[in-house]
Amino acid sequence: MKLRRARILAVAALIATMATGCSLQQADSGNTVTVVVGYQSKTINTVTAGTLLRAKGFLEQRLNALTAKGGPKYRVEWQDYDTGAPITAQMVAQKIDIGSMGDYPLLINGSRTSADPHTATELVSVTGYQPKGSLNMVVTAPNSTATSVNDLAGQKVSSSIGSASDGTLRQALQRAGLDPAHGVDVLNQQPQIGASALESGQVRALSQFVAWPGLLVFQNRAKLLYDGAELNVPTFHGVVARRDYTSRHPEVLDAFLQAQLDATDFLHAQPLQAAQVVADHSGLPPEVVYLYNGPGGTSFDTPIKPQLIQAFKGDVPYLKSIGNFADFDIDKFVDDAPLRKVFGERNIDYDAAVGNFADPAPITGTDPSGAAVDNAALAGEIWYDGQPSATPTADPTSLLRAVKVARTQGKKIRAAYVPDSETGTRWFADKAQWVQTGDTYLPFITPAAVRRYLDQHPGAAAVSYDQAIGGVRS
């Protein structure tokens, strides 16, 4: 009789669990609450809600603290994906509770989950943003003769349909007077497939999101053709959470946002160490991670800022044009109340943070020459091998001078970073295209940018990186 009663109770519990819309994978087991987090280890502008967060154990620490205060036990399950689309699919299936992805996938996430209250999600924080949109770029093969997106007319280009990189490509083509639907053959491919297609010559160019453009250029497998910053439209990555889950476990969302702030603080305080951690857990070269995660790269800041939401809404026409989007209430999708609460718990003024659109962690310090590094638009960095932190430089000419000295002294440089003179996009100094004007050297990251500058400054001349180093005055 007792066995029969136990079976009846077990079946009743299972039915109750299914009735709540909670997947069997996520059902609380005994006194243990499970939270499933979807992230993208190689999309490194989500690291504060993914790779870095997981590697440092900040979320588990926050949840363990709740257990120590008398709460239940918590278990975190991490699921790594290449893009945001499978994370959204798993959230629709109620198998992921919290996920991070780029702005276009975030919109698709909100659209596809909104129809069912058990799957409906909300945007709860930002991981990182770029005010002008340089997180998406178009690259070509190293031997390509293309110098602008106009040269892609009639060609095959690889991208991931529905991603921010594809939106960037289509906007760039439209501004160049090309019809994205007919003037260019866009192939829908995962980033790694597109990279292989570019190398094999199956496509003329590859449009992708971070960290793929920087990775391929760093590895000499591609060169940069177009910088998304030319569109001058903010791009960002953020965190979504299922309302059904967070309504039952608000303390988990609170712990997640606290942990995300922990990861953000760590990245700002120890940027080079953070880049090494992300590299170790993503398989990306640390020099590439630091390109984006270092000072002057992505703005890692959690508040949901109005400029980002305005750009967010501007992405809707593109998503509708590819038939990948159903209207939903974006204003209701955005919910910063949980993040406001976390800021309040830390005695941080959330409204002041929302109102500040400047880089929260610009490059500062002292140049090797002794000059103060105080102009974010010009500041760069040199990563000397064996050093615990990168060395700031006041401007590109100063960086060249420091590299020249390092070569003379036999010091090894792992990477040097400079801001593009037109857009401010952080890039590898040795992969930039340099222009000399008098005793000043200016870096540009695309051939089109160099051409624009030379057209406006007849006395300037294009030089190679080594020529610039050799010519700079010591």
Side-chain angles (χ1 to χ4, degrees):
M1 187 68 178
K2 288 182 179 180
L3 178 60
R4 182 170 179 269
R5 176 177 174 78
R7 287 175 176 170
I8 292 173
L9 291 175
V11 171
L14 176 61
I15 294 174
T17 296
M18 296 178 67
T20 65
C22 180
S23 71
L24 295 180
Q25 180 181 349
Q26 294 173 325
D28 300 346
S29 176
N31 199 36
T32 299
V33 175
T34 298
V35 55
V36 183
V37 180
Y39 74 109
Q40 304 168 67
S41 63
K42 287 183 172 57
T43 302
I44 56 176
N45 287 285
T46 63
V47 296
T48 54
T51 308
L52 183 62
L53 180 67
R54 179 182 185 180
K56 296 297 293 182
F58 290 131
L59 177 56
E60 287 83 355
Q61 293 166 23
R62 289 284 179 175
L63 293 173
N64 289 341
L66 295 178
T67 302
K69 293 179 180 179
K73 293 182 179 179
Y74 294 91
R75 183 175 72 89
V76 182
E77 181 180 326
W78 298 89
Q79 295 185 5
D80 186 10
Y81 297 92
D82 290 328
T83 65
I87 296 177
T88 292
Q90 291 292 83
M91 295 186 95
V92 170
Q94 302 172 54
K95 292 183 178 180
I96 285 181
D97 306 307
I98 299 174
S100 56
M101 59 194 74
D103 41 13
Y104 283 74
L106 285 168
L107 275 172
I108 295 174
N109 182 285
S111 173
R112 292 186 175 175
T113 63
S114 62
D116 186 335
H118 291 137
T119 65
T121 59
E122 55 192 5
L123 176 64
V124 295
S125 70
V126 169
T127 56
Y129 65 90
Q130 217 294 324
K132 291 186 177 181
S134 68
L135 302 182
N136 309 296
M137 295 174 165
V138 181
V139 296
T140 58
N143 61 352
S144 173
T145 58
T147 59
S148 73
V149 291
N150 298 80
D151 295 323
L152 300 180
Q155 302 294 320
K156 292 182 179 180
V157 179
S158 175
S159 188
S160 299
I161 304 300
S163 73
S165 62
D166 186 53
T168 293
L169 172 65
R170 292 169 191 267
Q171 290 183 66
L173 293 174
Q174 288 173 342
R175 292 195 183 187
L178 298 174
D179 183 354
H182 303 95
V184 175
D185 185 7
V186 181
L187 305 184
N188 183 20
Q189 297 177 322
Q190 291 291 312
Q192 63 272 28
I193 301 301
S196 297
L198 181 66
E199 285 191 280
S200 64
Q202 297 176 34
V203 297
R204 183 73 181 274
L206 170 73
S207 180
Q208 274 302 340
F209 46 80
V210 294
W212 287 96
L215 173 64
L216 296 176
V217 170
F218 176 77
Q219 295 176 332
N220 296 315
R221 297 162 61 194
K223 63 181 179 181
L224 188 61
L225 178 70
Y226 184 83
D227 176 14
E230 290 186 34
L231 296 175
N232 198 25
V233 176
T235 54
F236 72 99
H237 294 70
V239 177
V240 282
R242 285 198 306 113
R243 289 193 181 99
D244 179 60
Y245 179 87
T246 58
S247 66
R248 287 182 285 111
H249 301 295
E251 80 285 359
V252 174
L253 178 58
D254 186 89
F256 186 93
L257 294 174
Q258 290 279 12
Q260 186 188 344
L261 286 177
D262 294 338
T264 304
D265 290 344
F266 177 77
L267 185 148
H268 288 162
Q270 303 288 340
L272 198 57
Q273 183 181 345
Q276 292 277 16
V277 170
V278 172
D280 291 342
H281 288 81
S282 67
L284 292 167
E287 296 88 349
V288 174
V289 177
Y290 196 65
L291 170 70
Y292 298 107
N293 287 184
T298 300
S299 295
F300 284 92
D301 205 13
T302 56
I304 304 175
K305 307 188 180 191
Q307 298 93 328
L308 302 179
I309 301 306
Q310 181 180 356
F312 202 41
K313 293 178 178 179
D315 298 338
V316 170
Y318 156 73
L319 293 175
K320 285 186 175 181
S321 74
I322 62 173
N324 211 11
F325 190 82
D327 281 321
F328 74 110
D329 193 327
I330 294 176
D331 291 323
K332 289 185 179 179
F333 174 59
V334 178
D335 184 8
D336 64 359
L339 187 59
R340 282 181 176 274
K341 176 177 178 292
V342 167
F343 267 61
E345 292 168 352
R346 293 186 174 217
N347 294 316
I348 303 174
D349 188 335
Y350 183 81
D351 289 323
V354 167
N356 182 12
F357 203 51
D359 187 344
I363 300 173
T364 58
T366 303
D367 186 270
S369 68
V373 179
D374 53 12
N375 188 336
L378 298 175
E381 286 189 307
I382 301 175
W383 180 0
Y384 294 104
D385 191 35
Q387 294 297 312
S389 60
T391 299
T393 57
D395 54 62
T397 304
S398 297
L399 181 139
L400 292 173
R401 189 175 296 114
V403 171
K404 187 174 186 176
V405 171
R407 288 185 174 183
T408 301
Q409 297 175 345
K411 295 176 65 175
K412 182 180 178 181
I413 293 175
R414 293 193 61 168
Y417 307 93
V418 290
D420 178 89
S421 297
E422 186 178 70
T423 63
T425 299
R426 177 176 164 99
W427 201 239
F428 299 111
D430 63 331
K431 306 300 182 184
Q433 301 183 50
W434 290 82
V435 169
Q436 180 181 4
T437 173
D439 292 334
T440 301
Y441 291 84
L442 303 174
F444 298 88
I445 66 176
T446 65
V450 171
R451 187 173 62 250
R452 284 190 292 268
Y453 186 85
L454 293 178
D455 287 345
Q456 297 172 11
H457 302 82
V463 295
S464 70
Y465 179 57
D466 286 334
Q467 287 173 331
I469 294 172
V472 70
R473 291 188 178 183
S474 300

